[in-house]
Amino acid sequence: MTDTSTDAAPVAAPAPFLTAWFEILDSDEPNRILDLISDDFSLSILFSTGDGKATDFAGDRAALVGYLEQRERGTRTHHLLSATTLGQDELFLGEVRRGGVPEASFVAAGRVNENGRLQRLLIGRSSEIRFD
């Protein structure tokens, strides 16, 4: 995210939009991410549920609302491992932790439109692989 040491000037996050997205998602008001999406937003959030099975939330704003409603609010946090930005596209590799204990790895790709809104979002999460 950003370097907050007193010895160096703050360093911009390598994927600033997605970094802010996950900070909001982990906050007490995760529904604020709905204010960050474009009118033509679409997503797919695919996460492993174990035993080779997965759940996929795919669609538009309504799918994102459905995803937010089923989340266990305040139980998991998202942590940046590496990220980059290439034009309008941001890529984010992270780790999900529950109570500070690593639970899963995830990758996210997002496209931010010219108005600074998230237009496309693809997230995959699995507890079967770690990037530590």
Side-chain angles (χ1 to χ4, degrees):
M1 318 236 251
T2 57
D3 178 358
T4 57
S5 70
T6 56
D7 296 337
V11 177
F17 193 97
L18 289 178
T19 298
W21 177 275
F22 290 115
E23 288 173 354
I24 293 169
L25 198 59
D26 292 345
S27 77
D28 291 336
E29 299 178 62
N31 287 351
R32 289 188 301 135
I33 62 174
L34 295 171
D35 296 333
L36 304 178
I37 62 175
S38 67
D39 291 338
D40 62 343
F41 173 78
S42 63
L43 83 153
S44 177
I45 301 174
L46 182 68
F47 57 89
S48 169
T49 57
D51 297 326
K53 297 181 177 92
T55 299
D56 188 9
F57 289 87
D60 56 13
R61 180 185 181 91
L64 180 57
V65 169
Y67 170 75
L68 290 170
E69 288 174 350
Q70 63 82 45
R71 286 184 74 240
E72 296 176 35
R73 183 180 281 178
T75 61
R76 292 183 177 99
T77 55
H78 298 80
H79 300 268
L80 173 68
L81 298 178
S82 65
T84 192
T85 300
L86 194 65
Q88 292 179 280
D89 299 326
E90 293 187 5
L91 304 172
F92 191 109
L93 172 64
E95 181 176 77
V96 175
R97 297 178 191 162
R98 181 189 292 263
V101 176
E103 181 176 79
S105 296
F106 72 95
V107 293
R111 176 159 292 163
V112 181
N113 71 14
E114 62 280 349
N115 297 320
R117 302 261 180 199
L118 192 63
Q119 186 175 16
R120 301 288 179 266
L121 179 65
L122 174 64
I123 299 176
R125 184 184 83 188
S126 176
S127 59
E128 302 301 318
I129 188 167
R130 292 288 156 69
F131 288 84
D132 47 1

